[in-house]
Amino acid sequence: MTVMKGAILSLNHIILDTDGLQFQAWCDLAMYEFGMGLPGKMANQLAGVQRHQALDLILKHFNVTNIDNKVELLNEQYEMYSKVIAGIGEDRLYPRAKQLLNNFYDHYVNIAINDIDEHAKEILQKLKIDDFVDAFVSPLDEENPYLEASQELDVQPAACVGIGSQTNEIKLMNETGVISIGVGDAEELKKAKYQVSQIGDLKYPMIRKVWEDNELEGA
């Protein structure tokens, strides 16, 4: 039987709530550009969407049309997000997340991060867990990030588990042959090989069992 050798993780809802950090940056942008922040109810609308889509929702909220400086606004939000990250500490880390990283480390499973918002290294340094990570990949590259991550870890995709909270992440894992584990809404993540509602429910022995069961099915 092949040994599980790699784990490919996203940050959002796995390590910490990056949606909340992004929302704070959007609120800062709104205050700077329009003189007022955003209502808290918009947090759910902006969660998990692409930055250009989030900007469109914010412009609609302020009834702004025919704007030609969207790139400039996106750059401003990027800088504000960097400032938000600069102010975070270890208290942002999900309690269960560090234990999970330790479990992988103790079982010689190398870890890669799917760096969706291009700030993963900085965030993990702030959380003081960057030493656990062996590779970073970006979904902005043309290649499937889970395939790229397995290559960076120098292991076959089938020897990896992937843990993500977005439908598209699960889709890309399945396309690559990485064993997919979803964290979040069961209906949205129904195509994952295994699913939990929150990272605190995900235990290493269960990850191991899911991987072994899928390994046996593919044998």
Side-chain angles (χ1 to χ4, degrees), residues 5-189:
K5 297 179 179 179
I8 308 166
L9 316 180
S10 298
L11 292 188
N12 194 31
H13 301 306
I14 312 301
I15 303 298
L16 78 166
D17 177 16
T18 60
D19 281 339
L21 301 180
Q22 286 280 8
F23 183 65
Q24 180 58 56
W26 286 119
C27 286
D28 292 345
L29 177 71
M31 181 63 71
Y32 181 78
E33 290 290 338
F34 306 111
M36 63 180 68
L38 298 171
K41 64 182 181 181
M42 282 199 72
N44 288 335
Q45 291 179 262
L46 302 180
V49 304
Q50 298 292 324
R51 291 175 63 245
H52 68 277
Q53 295 173 323
L55 178 58
D56 287 341
L57 290 172
I58 291 167
L59 294 175
K60 182 179 180 181
H61 172 74
F62 287 108
N63 296 315
V64 176
T65 58
N66 300 322
I67 189 168
D68 58 3
N69 65 332
K70 286 187 178 181
V71 173
E72 180 181 335
L73 291 175
L74 287 171
N75 289 338
E76 286 181 13
Q77 193 270 350
Y78 186 89
E79 292 177 5
M80 290 174 177
Y81 185 53
S82 296
K83 291 179 181 178
V84 171
I85 291 171
I88 69 172
E90 293 176 78
D91 59 313
R92 290 280 188 167
L93 176 66
Y94 288 157
R96 175 64 189 156
K98 189 168 185 178
Q99 183 179 349
L100 190 59
L101 294 175
N102 270 312
N103 290 152
F104 284 131
Y105 180 82
D106 290 343
H107 290 84
Y108 306 101
V109 177
N110 291 331
I111 298 171
I113 296 293
N114 182 18
D115 188 4
I116 292 174
D117 62 11
E118 300 182 283
H119 286 81
K121 289 183 181 179
E122 185 180 356
I123 289 173
L124 296 186
Q125 287 170 355
K126 287 289 183 178
L127 300 179
K128 297 184 178 179
I129 56 172
D130 52 304
D131 287 345
F132 286 102
V133 179
D134 301 285
F136 294 85
V137 296
S138 172
L140 299 180
D141 298 335
E142 291 186 5
E143 189 170 20
N144 184 312
Y146 295 94
L147 176 60
E148 183 181 354
S150 68
Q151 292 171 342
E152 289 287 333
L153 296 176
D154 196 25
V155 298
Q156 292 297 315
C160 298
V161 294
I163 306 176
S165 61
Q166 301 293 327
T167 304
N168 189 54
E169 293 170 351
I170 301 304
K171 177 177 179 290
L172 292 172
M173 292 176 204
N174 292 339
E175 288 177 355
T176 311
V178 169
I179 304 304
S180 56
I181 298 176
V183 178
D185 183 86
E187 180 61 27
E188 290 183 6
L189 304 175

Side-chain angles (χ1 to χ4, degrees), residues 186-199:
E187 180 61 27
E188 290 183 6
L189 304 175
K190 62 185 178 182
K191 292 189 177 180
K193 297 294 185 180
Y194 184 70
Q195 188 272 335
V196 294
S197 60
Q198 59 185 4
I199 193 64

